[in-house]
Amino acid sequence: MKKIYLPPFLFCAITSIAQNDTINHFNYNQDAGLQYKKNDFQWTTWAFAERLFSSNQLPAWRRVRQGMEFQLPSYPLKISGNKYRSTLFYEVDFTDNNFFQDSKRFKIWENLFVTFQNANDPNKFRILFGENTSILSREDNLSSGNLPTINRSLILEQHGSTNSFGTQWGLQILSQITKKTFLQASMQDNRGSLNQDKPSFQFWNALAIKMTQSLIQPSDKSAEKLNIGIAIDHTRNINNKSFTLTSAINNENLGNALATGNRLTFENNADYTNKIGSHFYTLEYEVIYSNYSNQNLNVSGGYGQIQFQAFDNKKTGDLVPFIRYDLVSLNNQIESATEQAIKLGINYNLPFTNKLINFHIEYAHHKLNGSQSIITKSQNQFDEFRFGIRVNATRYLRF
């Protein structure tokens, strides 16, 4: 679930409500948001804000999001011994239309869907219809309010130039096949929907399937866990698009190549978490390959990342440095280009804030090589640096 911002004075009010026995149905959940419960009905609201700063750029809002989920009462009949319910869910991002300054005011929609799901655990079974994130990429489905970096991987963000992945209109199904195996399938447009200038709603336009295997699960005695996933997606009728290379932090345009027709994409990811003493760490990677049929354009790349928790306590805060390597390579049999980026950064949850206020520093070093017909930036190597503040109404957790 994506996360939230509320002014600090409201946290005191929410906490007071949660502790007031005369108001039985409101509570503040530090990992979900403000909630209202009555019998089998639950309403949750969340929001968060992210402000970026740098020496050579004006301050900018990266994300300002707010959303709600309505968990409707369970249906009276059981199916195979399980109870089911429907939920209504939305999330908006006010930066998508520059806080209503742009003419396309509807572009604020990031998510808007209805579900039929297992009443107690939607990860066991869920059918969803509406606007939601494409199932293909693991990183794409990490909470925007809980990302370790300002932007997601280069290969993922750059697919957005052809309106691929991200939030799309259509149908999704999730089912837990075994205790450790999860299967997802989707029919979504995959050419951009509600938050695009020209929305597209032909949800039968793309088919995708993904399997995730939990090879090691955490227990009371061990924090160790290991997950691996594979996915495939086929999207048709991509028109008037170019695959655009962009920089890792400032999203600077570095070059582009035509990318139209049908797109076939493969994805693989894995993440491993454990402890060294009392210090958590996570190793992860994701790789994506796509072919665009009209130009026979092949795009491949991915990232690898290490995060390590230096310390975590109330008085000194929570400090997690990271290092990350990104690669994107594209070619159409006539011309080619390669972009590499090394990112270094820290995430620091400030002391005495219960992980609700986070300070972020990020540096990226880029290398570019390839055909001048694709690459438009004159420098083959360049650097970017930015820092930011995240304010949530839910905890910013790295592990």
Side-chain angles (χ1 to χ4, degrees):
M1 181 180 291
K2 309 215 175 155
K3 308 296 179 185
I4 96 180
Y5 164 74
L6 288 175
F9 72 87
L10 281 183
F11 288 116
C12 298
I14 292 169
T15 304
S16 176
I17 290 173
Q19 295 175 347
N20 189 342
D21 291 337
T22 63
I23 304 178
N24 297 318
H25 302 303
F26 281 97
N27 74 288
Y28 167 62
N29 184 324
Q30 62 184 359
D31 294 321
L34 178 63
Q35 294 182 325
Y36 172 82
K37 297 181 181 181
K38 184 175 182 181
N39 300 324
D40 198 25
F41 169 83
Q42 178 174 288
W43 165 84
T44 305
T45 184
W46 62 92
F48 75 94
E50 214 175 332
R51 183 76 164 169
L52 301 180
F53 306 86
S54 67
S55 59
N56 59 352
Q57 299 216 356
L58 293 174
W61 294 106
R62 176 64 179 94
R63 300 176 182 92
V64 180
R65 294 192 175 187
Q66 184 274 327
M68 290 185 187
E69 180 185 52
F70 299 85
Q71 292 188 14
L72 303 180
S74 303
Y75 297 114
L77 297 178
K78 290 185 177 181
I79 303 175
S80 300
N82 295 310
K83 297 180 69 176
Y84 292 85
R85 74 169 81 241
S86 289
T87 69
L88 303 175
F89 185 105
Y90 83 81
E91 184 174 52
V92 294
D93 190 329
F94 299 108
T95 66
D96 285 348
N97 62 9
N98 192 23
F99 298 91
F100 299 103
Q101 297 301 307
D102 296 343
S103 59
K104 303 285 187 179
R105 297 192 174 188
F106 62 83
K107 286 178 62 178
I108 64 172
W109 295 102
E110 290 289 330
N111 294 282
L112 179 65
F113 59 78
V114 60
T115 74
F116 174 81
Q117 64 188 43
N118 185 292
N120 299 315
D121 186 357
N123 288 319
K124 291 184 176 180
F125 182 81
R126 183 173 76 165
I127 299 175
L128 175 155
F129 186 78
E131 178 92 350
N132 191 45
T133 307
S134 168
I135 68 172
L136 182 116
S137 166
R138 170 187 176 270
E139 195 188 26
D140 206 10
N141 283 276
L142 297 178
S143 165
S144 296
N146 235 17
L147 291 174
T149 54
I150 292 172
N151 298 312
R152 292 175 168 88
S153 67
L154 287 175
I155 188 68
L156 187 60
E157 295 280 5
Q158 291 172 13
H159 268 88
S161 60
T162 62
N163 294 139
S164 301
F165 316 132
T167 52
Q168 303 289 335
W169 185 265
L171 176 73
Q172 295 180 2
I173 299 175
L174 165 65
S175 181
Q176 184 175 8
I177 305 302
T178 70
K179 184 179 179 181
K180 294 185 176 183
T181 305
F182 299 85
L183 187 65
Q184 292 173 273
S186 72
M187 295 175 60
Q188 293 179 278
D189 189 285
N190 218 9
R191 295 172 301 178
S193 299
L194 288 174
N195 61 353
Q196 303 296 326
D197 287 331
K198 296 180 179 179
S200 189
F201 302 102
Q202 294 180 355
F203 64 86
W204 54 89
N205 187 68
L207 297 174
I209 187 167
K210 181 164 190 172
M211 185 179 73
T212 303
Q213 184 76 23
S214 180
L215 299 177
I216 303 174
Q217 295 181 330
S219 64
D220 294 338
K221 296 182 179 180
S222 174
E224 185 180 23
K225 63 179 179 180
L226 172 62
N227 303 300
I228 188 167
I230 56 173
I232 183 172
D233 174 275
H234 184 254
T235 299
R236 299 179 296 118
N237 303 320
I238 299 170
N239 300 310
N240 303 318
K241 296 296 179 182
S242 293
F243 192 95
T244 303
L245 298 174
T246 56
S247 62
I249 296 178
N250 295 328
N251 291 321
E252 179 185 354
N253 189 323
L254 308 176
N256 56 76
L258 286 175
T260 61
N262 300 332
R263 194 198 69 245
L264 182 64
T265 299
F266 298 92
E267 185 269 359
N268 169 237
N269 70 83
D271 60 280
Y272 176 77
T273 299
N274 207 344
K275 279 184 174 183
I276 298 177
S278 61
H279 303 274
F280 281 96
Y281 66 91
T282 294
L283 309 174
E284 63 185 88
Y285 77 83
E286 181 168 57
V287 293
I288 296 175
Y289 164 81
S290 291
N291 174 269
Y292 294 83
S293 63
N294 283 1
Q295 296 78 26
N296 195 21
L297 177 69
N298 297 297
V299 179
S300 59
Y303 77 94
Q305 180 175 269
I306 303 173
Q307 299 181 77
F308 181 78
Q309 189 174 61
F311 54 81
D312 179 16
N313 61 69
K314 182 178 180 180
K315 292 183 178 180
T316 59
D318 172 20
L319 181 68
V320 180
F322 68 86
I323 182 170
R324 181 181 182 120
Y325 172 74
D326 272 275
L327 171 68
V328 176
S329 176
L330 58 89
N331 70 81
N332 58 14
Q333 298 182 335
I334 299 174
E335 50 195 0
S336 62
T338 300
E339 178 185 1
Q340 300 177 73
I342 297 176
K343 287 183 178 182
L344 302 171
I346 63 168
N347 286 294
Y348 179 47
N349 286 321
L350 301 183
F352 303 104
T353 63
N354 194 32
K355 296 182 171 65
L356 300 175
I357 301 177
N358 173 264
F359 179 73
H360 178 85
I361 298 176
E362 189 170 326
Y363 160 81
H365 176 70
H366 298 76
K367 290 184 178 181
L368 290 170
N369 292 288
S371 307
Q372 293 186 350
S373 54
I374 294 179
I375 296 175
T376 56
K377 189 174 178 63
S378 58
Q379 298 169 283
N380 289 333
Q381 298 189 39
F382 66 97
D383 301 317
E384 292 180 325
F385 175 81
R386 236 167 171 180
F387 66 93
I389 299 289
R390 295 184 180 101
V391 184
N392 297 329
T394 56
R395 296 186 299 168
Y396 178 79
L397 300 175
R398 298 276 21 95
F399 306 99

